[in-house]
Each structure stands twice: as C-alpha cells, then as structure tokens.
Amino acid sequence: MLQRINNTLGRMMITGDEKSWDYGFLESLQEQMTTRGTLSPRQEEILQQVEGRWSDEALKHRASWVDDWDKDKEAKFWIALQYYHKTGYYGNIVYKYLTTAGDRCAGAPSEKEYNKLVLNKYAAGVIRNVQAEPKFPVGGTAVFRTGARTHKGKVCVILKHGNCEHVTSHAKGAKPIQVLPIGAAAPIWTEERWLKKAKKRK
C-alpha cells in the first residue's frame, strides 16, 4: 500500500503537481501508513481514484491536451479568466493563470480547469458576446431603446466596440460598446441590446 502511494507521489513530482489536492491527500496517507500501517476502506477507495488520475493512460491524455492547445482555446480561456477575475468566482483557477495585475501567466490549463472555467453557461454567454460580430459600425448612429437604463430614446454615435475587459454580462446581446449620446459631454459604455438602429432620414 505504501509503495502504491509513493509511486503515485513520484509521478506527481515529475509533472510538478505538488500543490494539487491529490498530492496533499497522498501525503496524509503516506504519514498515516508510516505511523499506523493501515488505511480505512474509504481512504483505499479514494486512493484508487487518485491512482487512476495519474496512470500512464491519464498522463498521455494530459500530454495530448497540452499538445492540442490552440489559439481558439486560448482566446476563450482568456475571456473567461478576465470575466471571473472581475466577478471573484473560480479564484483558485483565475489566480493560477493571471498575475495580480491581470496579466496572463503560466501555460495551458488542465482539461478539467478549462472545462470548469469555460464550459459553463455564464462563461459561454460572455464568450459569445465578446466574439460576436458587431451590429453597429463605428462612426454610425443608433438609438437607445425604451428599456435602456439611461438616455432612453436618445440618438448616440458609435465610438468603439469593447473586448473581454469591458464585458460584464452573459445575457444575450450584452456585447459592450462605447457610444457618445448626442448632447452629452462624455462617452459612456453600454451594451448592444440597449440600442437599435437609427431611422434613416427621408
């Protein structure tokens, strides 16, 4: 039993995963085996699960995931990182791949980390909003809808489209956009869903 624990710990040390939950759990089992010489049935069950996550097959799959990392996955992961950096959720993943200043660090996340951060309905909505084609061209005009929070019915000029730093909602149509309401002293950020096309003058 102790040999199984040591073998799995060795695999994790080689891959640099000493800070993972699995590693800490195996260290506690290692200490218990050294002092008591036995594990509970539940501990043995979890040990088997951990061994499965660090088997030859599992390690090959992880290596393949890293090799298959591409620009599309990186773009979606970056958007999700920026979004959750603002919301405060998934901090254990966010601050592993972002510095305190918000810059990207480390390499590709694990498949589990990626799926958790990117493949949920909130992140999916945010990614959709950021990557969607703009509905209003820069330099054109639009009108605030009656359901908008401010400037209802007012005409505005489109200044620029936002990116993942500006997105705040996963709601449909919440693509960030900077506009200058006619008569206003300064531009504001809003979302495409609060705008509609201005009627052309006859």
Side-chain angles (χ1 to χ4, degrees):
M1 190 71 71
L2 185 57
Q3 185 63 45
R4 288 169 58 189
I5 295 171
N6 290 336
N7 287 344
T8 307
L9 281 171
R11 287 171 175 264
M12 298 173 73
M13 291 177 68
I14 292 173
T15 56
D17 285 277
E18 292 97 330
K19 293 183 179 180
S20 67
W21 183 90
D22 286 353
Y23 192 90
F25 175 72
L26 291 184
E27 278 191 320
S28 67
L29 296 189
Q30 186 183 54
E31 182 179 354
Q32 184 171 323
M33 283 296 299
T34 303
T35 56
R36 302 181 187 177
T38 185
L39 300 178
S40 70
R42 178 57 178 162
Q43 287 175 321
E44 291 186 20
E45 181 184 342
I46 299 176
L47 170 59
Q48 187 173 4
Q49 294 173 3
V50 173
E51 286 178 311
R53 290 197 287 269
W54 297 92
S55 65
D56 289 338
E57 183 178 351
L59 291 177
K60 286 180 181 179
H61 181 77
R62 291 184 191 184
S64 175
W65 167 259
V66 173
D67 291 340
D68 292 340
W69 188 253
D70 56 24
K71 291 182 179 179
D72 180 62
K73 290 189 181 74
E74 175 62 30
K76 291 177 179 177
F77 188 61
W78 171 248
I79 294 170
L81 282 174
Q82 292 289 311
Y83 176 66
Y84 286 117
H85 183 241
K86 287 182 287 189
T87 65
Y89 292 103
Y90 300 117
N92 60 323
I93 300 177
V94 171
Y95 291 107
K96 182 178 178 180
Y97 297 98
L98 282 184
T99 65
T100 53
D103 298 320
R104 182 78 161 86
C105 61
S110 68
E111 186 174 7
K112 182 179 179 180
E113 291 172 328
Y114 179 87
N115 290 344
K116 189 173 184 179
L117 201 71
V118 175
L119 302 185
N120 64 76
K121 67 178 182 179
Y122 302 105
V126 169
I127 292 168
R128 178 194 63 224
N129 288 334
V130 172
Q131 296 185 333
E133 288 295 322
K135 292 182 178 180
F136 303 93
V138 171
T141 58
V143 178
F144 280 90
R145 294 181 180 276
T146 55
R149 297 169 185 172
T150 59
H151 304 287
K152 298 177 182 181
K154 288 190 175 181
V155 177
C156 62
V157 178
I158 311 302
L159 299 182
K160 64 180 178 180
H161 303 109
N163 52 36
C164 55
E165 296 179 7
H166 304 104
V167 69
T168 59
S169 173
H170 66 280
K172 186 177 180 180
K175 186 177 182 65
I177 185 171
Q178 190 182 56
V179 302
L180 178 64
I182 300 300
I188 64 170
W189 281 99
T190 185
E191 296 170 345
E192 286 187 345
R193 58 177 170 163
W194 303 125
L195 302 176
K196 62 182 180 180
K197 292 182 179 180
K199 292 183 179 180
K200 294 182 179 180
R201 294 183 180 180
K202 295 182 180 180

